[in-house]
């Protein structure tokens, strides 16, 4: 046990700070959208799947339209893919199914299998068109091991006016042979996981199908998986940065994220491959990964991202949208592709950003405001920030500075109220990071609105975060900071208590400097267990459960116990840092909030004094985050990472993704909030985080 230490809590406020620092960064990695927050249960619902294979600068894409679908009979010709007269030319492929006998059908594996809860209703919809099915109906069911857990019969619109003679030289149009939208409900008869979804024809015949969807009735706004949404809502985020991340850039210009492809009717949103389907994360290195079919259906598109922000807003704080736009550059880790600055194509990128602002905020009389209204939201989404680029850096290939200038100039000429956020590249303390900041500081001398904040990223060892808890103490105040992606990466790339506590130590420095650090978001947000391209992550989940990590609770504590003014510490924080205690003290209305992070492997006792150096004796609300067993464990090295080569990805030949997730699983935590009497001192357990509010 170390000697007792002292903290005198001042009444003097040192500087105003933002109470809205803590937000979310959403990227569709680790099945965060399809198979995750997006509540859709059917995989490859539009038959547009592509298999992605390859490595940096070397990719192969191959259509695999029947991925996730199989026939329930042994008829090899039962399933065919066609693209003649599709329901949508944006997604032209669809299924032609032929049943040779009664009650033959086809099934969907639905990610890791469908999970349903007894009594819950599930909304089914699909398009179907008769080819040759003069009689009979359809049935939809959820089955496992021969047992049916939900089922419904769907009357089919069979042809009634088919001509007696079919003449190949003319086209006869029958209304009943056009695409029809079918809807139904399935009610779960019991709990089941790992089931499949199935559609059967009651009679022999041929029918075409497209856009088959199954959504739980409790999905928030019919879009968001309820338990994952609630985990986000409990954080009371101040903003969401979306849609990425490297996703914004794509493996190529053609495969970049284009927001205009993600709005409008679902069937018309052009499906895209997912950059994370091929190797490039920190979990798998293989020419073809197990999740090579990972796609972006865009059921979670830009409209839904804006809606998510609105739904996550609460009386505590508004959740603001912070979309990131492509600046004419493919992912610099994966491609050398750029759109020439002096080209009409580049001008279209700038125009897309302007159109995005109109979509979010414009009147219903405008082109894009009208589309927003048609989608169900005539009111403005009140967007006031935009990210210009993800994590580009100045290089022989990419001319970052003039690209940012072009976007900033066009945006502020038309929308001077929009806050533009620049990028400082993917690494901190790197020459291109310094060069980027020099650029923004220089431009800010002539134009204070040139950049509201600069987005900097750091995925680093826990010790780096401890060592740099005072990083922002001496940052210039002319341009604000957005810590847009950061996380502690321990030697196992797991969500350890040590990693979470190191993040808290860093965030104490962010909060103390909340006049310059205006925005901060941990990354990545989600990880579907068994489908990881990257670890660690804030929230782990599977079809049935949600696992909240130490990093999650750290974010929650800083969000729940935010302040509007920083209290003067008079250099006490420096002395306490030498003892591995990291301090932030803030004021929120008439309450004082003190955050104490113990980064050491031993308990610490801290004497608490008021302004008069008297023992602090008062009733207080105390939130405490510790390891679940009350004593943080040192992370045990595993073969998930080669200890001599840093964060080295492993081959799927070494272990499966599920085994990898087990190796890197989050350390269990204990998070408690209670009211108790302070008696002038407090003990902070090893590797723990305490908040005192009084």
């Amino acid at each position: 046990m170390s000697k007792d230490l002292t903290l005198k809590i001042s009444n003097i406020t040192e500087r105003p700070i933002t109470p809205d620092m803590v937000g979310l960064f959403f990227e569709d990695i680790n099945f965060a959208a399809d198979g995750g927050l997006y509540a859709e249960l059917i995989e490859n619902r539009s038959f547009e799947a592509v298999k992605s294979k390859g490595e940096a600068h070397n990719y192969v894409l191959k259509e695999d339209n029947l991925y996730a679908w199989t026939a329930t009979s042994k008829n090899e010709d039962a399933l065919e893919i066609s693209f003649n007269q599709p329901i949508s030319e944006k997604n032209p492929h669809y299924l032609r199914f032929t049943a040779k006998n009664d009650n033959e059908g086809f099934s969907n594996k639905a990610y890791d299998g469908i999970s349903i809860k007894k009594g819950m209703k599930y909304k089914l919809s699909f398009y179907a068109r008769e080819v040759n099915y003069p009689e009979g109906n359809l049935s939809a069911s959820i089955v496992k091991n021969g047992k049916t857990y939900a089922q419904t019969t769907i009357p089919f619109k069979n042809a009634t006016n088919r001509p007696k003679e079919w003449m190949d030289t003319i086209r006869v149009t029958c209304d009943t042979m056009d695409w029809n939208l079918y809807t139904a409900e399935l009610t779960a008869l019991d709990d089941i996981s790992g089931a499949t979804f199935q559609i059967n024809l009651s009679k022999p015949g041929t029918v075409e199908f497209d856009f088959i969807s199954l959504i739980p009735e409790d999905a928030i706004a019919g879009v968001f998986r309820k338990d994952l949404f609630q985990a986000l809502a409990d954080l009371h985020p101040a903003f969401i940065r979306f849609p990425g991340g490297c996703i914004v850039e794509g493996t190529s210009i053609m495969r970049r994220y284009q927001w205009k492809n993600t709005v409008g009717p679902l069937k018309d949103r052009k499906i895209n491959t997912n950059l994370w389907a091929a190797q490039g994360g920190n979990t798998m290195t293989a020419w073809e990964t197990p999740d090579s079919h990972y796609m972006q259906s865009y059921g979670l598109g830009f409209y839904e991202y804006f809606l998510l922000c609105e739904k996550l807003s609460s009386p505590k704080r508004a959740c603001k949208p912070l979309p990131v736009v492509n600046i004419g550059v493919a992912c610099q880790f994966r491609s050398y592709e750029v759109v020439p600055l002096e080209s009409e194509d580049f001008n279209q990128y700038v125009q897309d950003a302007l159109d995005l602002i109109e979509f979010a905020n414009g009147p219903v009389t405008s082109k894009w405001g009208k589309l927003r209204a048609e989608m169900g939201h005539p009111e403005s989404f009140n967007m006031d920030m935009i990210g210009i680029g993800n994590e580009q850096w100045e290089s022989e290939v990419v001319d970052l500075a003039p690209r940012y200038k072009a976007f900033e100039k066009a945006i502020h000429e038309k929308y001077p109220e929009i806050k533009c956020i620049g990028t400082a590249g993917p690494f901190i303390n790197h020459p291109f990071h310094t060069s980027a900041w020099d650029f923004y500081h220089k431009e800010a001398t002539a134009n204070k609105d040139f950049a509201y904040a600069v987005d900097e990223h750091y995925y680093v060892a826990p010790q780096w975060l401890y060592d740099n808890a005072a990083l922002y103490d001496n940052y210039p105040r002319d341009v604000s900071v957005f810590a847009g992606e950061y996380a502690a990466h321990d030697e196992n790339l797991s969500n350890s208590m040590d990693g979470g506590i190191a993040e808290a130590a860093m965030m104490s420095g962010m909060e103390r400097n909340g006049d310059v650090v205006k925005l901060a978001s941990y990354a990545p947000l989600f990880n579907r267990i068994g489908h990881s391209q990257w670890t660690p992550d804030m929230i782990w989940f599977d079809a049935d459960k949600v696992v909240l990590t130490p990093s999650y609770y750290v974010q929650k504590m800083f969000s729940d116990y935010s302040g509007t003014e920083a209290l003067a510490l008079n250099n006490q924080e420096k002395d306490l840092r030498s003892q591995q205690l990291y301090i932030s003290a803030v004021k929120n209305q008439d309450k004082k909030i003190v955050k104490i992070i113990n980064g050491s492997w031993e308990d610490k006792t801290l004497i608490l004094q008021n302004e008069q150096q008297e023992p602090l004796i008062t009733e207080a609300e105390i939130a405490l985050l510790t390891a679940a067993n009350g004593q943080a464990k040192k992370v045990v090295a595993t073969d998930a990472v080669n200890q001599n080569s840093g964060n080295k990805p492993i081959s799927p030949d070494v272990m499966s993704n599920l085994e990898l997730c087990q190796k890197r699983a989050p350390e269990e935590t204990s998070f408690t909030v209670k009211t108790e009497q302070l008696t002038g001192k407090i003990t902070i357990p090893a590797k723990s985080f305490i908040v005192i509010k009084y």
Side-chain angles (χ1 to χ4, degrees):
M1 182 77 68
S2 64
K3 65 177 183 178
D4 289 356
L5 305 165
T6 301
L7 174 65
K8 185 177 77 172
I9 302 168
S10 173
N11 292 324
I12 300 172
T13 56
E14 193 169 46
R15 64 177 69 93
I17 61 174
T18 175
D20 300 329
M21 179 183 76
V22 179
L24 301 172
F25 164 57
F26 187 99
E27 178 166 16
D28 190 1
I29 185 173
N30 303 328
F31 282 48
D34 294 311
L37 183 61
Y38 185 41
E40 176 63 72
L41 297 176
I42 303 300
E43 189 172 7
N44 187 26
R45 65 184 178 186
S46 293
F47 306 96
E48 300 294 338
V50 170
K51 177 181 282 191
S52 300
K53 301 183 290 186
E55 57 191 358
H57 309 289
N58 184 10
Y59 286 84
V60 175
L61 302 179
K62 180 182 178 181
E63 289 186 351
D64 193 6
N65 305 93
L66 283 175
Y67 169 74
W69 297 95
T70 56
T72 59
S73 68
K74 295 181 180 180
N75 177 9
E76 295 181 358
D77 300 323
L79 304 181
E80 296 180 285
I81 293 295
S82 182
F83 53 92
N84 180 45
Q85 298 176 347
I87 189 66
S88 172
E89 293 184 3
K90 298 287 184 66
N91 297 297
H93 298 95
Y94 53 87
L95 173 68
R96 174 178 283 213
F97 174 72
T98 299
K100 292 184 177 180
N101 302 292
D102 291 354
N103 297 315
E104 289 183 348
F106 56 97
S107 65
N108 184 266
K109 76 180 187 69
Y111 302 102
D112 300 311
I114 285 180
S115 175
I116 59 175
K117 303 301 179 185
K118 184 176 180 178
M120 178 82 75
K121 290 182 170 55
Y122 297 82
K123 297 180 180 179
L124 171 66
S125 65
F126 58 88
Y127 288 91
R129 176 171 64 185
E130 180 188 354
V131 176
N132 181 19
Y133 194 47
E135 60 177 5
N137 291 313
L138 308 176
S139 66
S141 56
I142 295 173
V143 300
K144 184 176 182 179
N145 298 331
K147 183 178 178 180
T148 299
Y149 290 86
Q151 187 171 33
T152 188
T153 299
I154 305 159
F156 187 73
K157 299 177 181 178
N158 310 95
T160 57
N161 57 346
R162 185 186 299 276
K164 292 181 180 179
E165 294 185 33
W166 191 269
M167 299 177 62
D168 293 336
T169 56
I170 64 171
R171 180 180 184 279
V172 180
T173 301
C174 301
D175 290 343
T176 49
M177 296 174 68
D178 288 340
W179 289 104
N180 288 294
L181 176 63
Y182 293 84
T183 61
E185 275 190 350
L186 290 168
T187 301
L189 302 175
D190 204 348
D191 294 351
I192 191 64
S193 297
T196 59
F197 170 81
Q198 192 168 298
I199 290 180
N200 283 46
L201 275 62
S202 64
K203 298 290 184 181
T206 301
V207 177
E208 293 172 336
F209 295 88
D210 202 0
F211 206 81
I212 303 171
S213 172
L214 188 65
I215 302 279
E217 68 170 349
D218 67 347
I220 305 300
V223 177
F224 310 111
R225 179 173 148 175
K226 185 178 180 180
D227 54 354
L228 294 180
F229 175 90
Q230 190 59 52
L232 302 184
D234 290 343
L235 291 171
H236 303 290
F239 64 88
I240 303 178
R241 174 178 177 248
F242 61 86
C246 295
I247 286 288
V248 171
E249 301 143 352
T251 57
S252 66
I253 290 295
M254 184 178 74
R255 293 292 171 179
R256 72 190 187 279
Y257 197 105
Q258 299 183 61
W259 76 265
K260 291 178 180 177
N261 288 342
T262 77
V263 295
L266 289 176
K267 65 181 179 60
D268 295 325
R269 300 184 188 183
K270 185 175 175 59
I271 292 172
N272 197 6
T273 56
N274 192 304
L275 168 146
W276 298 107
Q279 62 173 294
N282 64 13
T283 62
M284 291 288 172
T285 56
W287 178 252
E288 181 181 327
T289 72
D291 287 319
S292 59
H293 294 89
Y294 190 7
M295 301 287 291
Q296 298 175 87
S297 74
Y298 293 139
L300 190 58
F302 258 53
Y303 177 84
E304 287 75 23
Y305 284 124
F306 284 120
L307 191 64
L308 179 61
C309 292
E310 187 171 273
K311 294 292 182 182
L312 291 176
S313 294
S314 67
K316 185 176 181 67
R317 63 171 57 88
C319 180
K320 296 184 176 182
L322 202 175
V324 180
V325 295
N326 188 299
I327 59 172
V329 178
C331 179
Q332 284 180 260
F333 289 109
R334 297 168 171 84
S335 172
Y336 301 117
E337 238 188 317
V338 296
V339 175
L341 189 65
E342 303 297 333
S343 70
E344 186 54 40
D345 286 345
F346 177 76
N347 292 337
Q348 186 56 53
Y349 283 72
V350 177
Q351 186 59 50
D352 284 346
L354 298 175
D355 292 343
L356 172 58
I357 298 169
E358 182 177 288
F359 176 76
N361 298 347
V364 296
T365 53
S366 65
K367 175 182 177 180
W368 294 103
K370 179 183 177 184
L371 176 59
R372 182 191 70 242
E374 290 172 348
M375 295 182 71
H377 203 283
E379 304 82 12
S380 168
F381 280 117
N382 299 312
M383 167 185 157
D384 68 354
M385 297 183 289
I386 190 168
I388 299 173
N390 169 43
E391 53 184 15
Q392 279 71 51
W393 63 89
E394 200 79 31
S395 70
E396 293 181 7
V397 177
V398 175
D399 43 354
L400 172 61
R403 290 173 186 271
Y404 180 90
K405 282 185 175 180
F407 275 83
E408 184 274 333
K409 182 175 185 291
I411 290 170
H412 281 155
E413 281 181 353
K414 189 169 185 180
Y415 301 106
E417 72 280 7
I418 296 293
K419 301 180 180 76
C420 294
I421 295 176
T423 176
F427 309 116
I428 200 167
N429 293 341
H430 189 282
F432 58 56
H433 175 267
T434 303
S435 175
W437 268 107
D438 288 344
F439 161 65
Y440 294 113
H441 287 310
K442 179 182 177 182
E443 294 295 330
T445 59
N447 177 7
K448 65 180 179 62
D449 296 323
F450 183 72
Y452 171 70
V454 174
D455 182 10
E456 52 185 35
H457 299 172
Y458 35 98
Y459 298 99
V460 292
Q463 191 58 49
W464 188 96
L465 295 175
Y466 289 128
D467 293 343
N468 287 274
L471 176 69
Y472 296 113
D473 286 6
N474 298 313
Y475 259 49
R477 264 47 182 174
D478 58 335
V479 180
S480 296
V481 173
F482 176 20
E485 297 182 32
Y486 67 91
H489 281 199
D490 70 20
E491 57 191 4
N492 289 321
L493 298 178
S494 63
N495 287 103
S496 64
M497 276 300 300
D498 187 29
I501 296 304
E503 290 154 8
M506 188 70 188
M507 292 181 74
S508 72
M510 294 180 188
E511 185 175 61
R512 284 188 297 99
N513 293 281
D515 59 328
V516 66
V517 182
K518 295 295 178 65
L519 307 160
S521 50
Y522 177 97
L525 179 57
F526 285 122
N527 175 21
R528 181 164 182 139
I529 299 168
H531 300 278
S532 302
Q533 290 84 47
W534 188 278
T535 63
D537 310 281
M538 192 195 298
I539 299 169
W540 293 46
F541 69 96
D542 61 17
D544 298 299
K545 66 178 178 292
V546 176
V547 179
L548 304 178
T549 67
S551 297
Y552 175 92
Y553 287 108
V554 167
Q555 297 294 314
K556 179 173 175 58
M557 291 168 77
F558 272 91
S559 177
D560 285 352
Y561 296 99
S562 61
T564 57
E565 296 174 288
L567 294 173
L569 289 169
N570 301 314
N571 293 322
Q572 294 179 96
E573 77 280 4
K574 296 179 181 178
D575 295 333
L576 290 170
R577 275 203 305 273
S578 69
Q579 300 297 317
Q580 295 178 277
L581 289 181
Y582 304 85
I583 309 294
S584 173
V586 299
K587 185 177 181 181
N588 194 331
Q589 297 178 347
D590 61 342
K591 296 291 185 180
K592 292 180 181 177
I593 301 169
V594 181
K595 298 181 179 73
I596 309 168
I597 298 99
N598 183 359
S600 75
W601 293 104
E602 62 181 22
D603 296 355
K604 300 277 187 176
T605 297
L606 188 62
I607 296 172
L608 301 175
Q609 296 178 342
N610 62 20
E611 186 83 357
Q612 290 74 40
Q613 294 185 297
E614 299 167 338
L616 184 63
I617 300 175
T618 184
E619 188 176 78
E621 179 178 310
I622 298 179
L624 172 63
L625 176 67
T626 65
N629 63 359
Q631 176 65 51
K633 303 185 294 293
K634 290 188 178 182
V635 177
V636 178
T638 73
D639 57 354
V641 177
N642 183 326
Q643 298 302 305
N644 297 320
S645 61
N647 295 346
K648 180 181 178 182
I650 67 165
S651 167
D653 297 332
V654 176
M655 65 177 75
S656 71
N657 200 301
L658 187 59
E659 291 171 323
L660 180 145
C661 284
Q662 292 169 346
K663 292 285 188 180
R664 299 184 181 182
E667 186 170 351
E668 293 184 9
T669 61
S670 170
F671 175 64
T672 59
V673 179
K674 59 184 178 180
T675 300
E676 62 183 67
Q677 188 75 15
L678 287 177
T679 59
K681 66 169 59 177
I682 193 165
T683 298
I684 308 100
K687 295 294 179 182
S688 70
F689 176 17
I690 283 181
V691 178
I692 303 169
K693 180 180 179 180
Y694 66 97

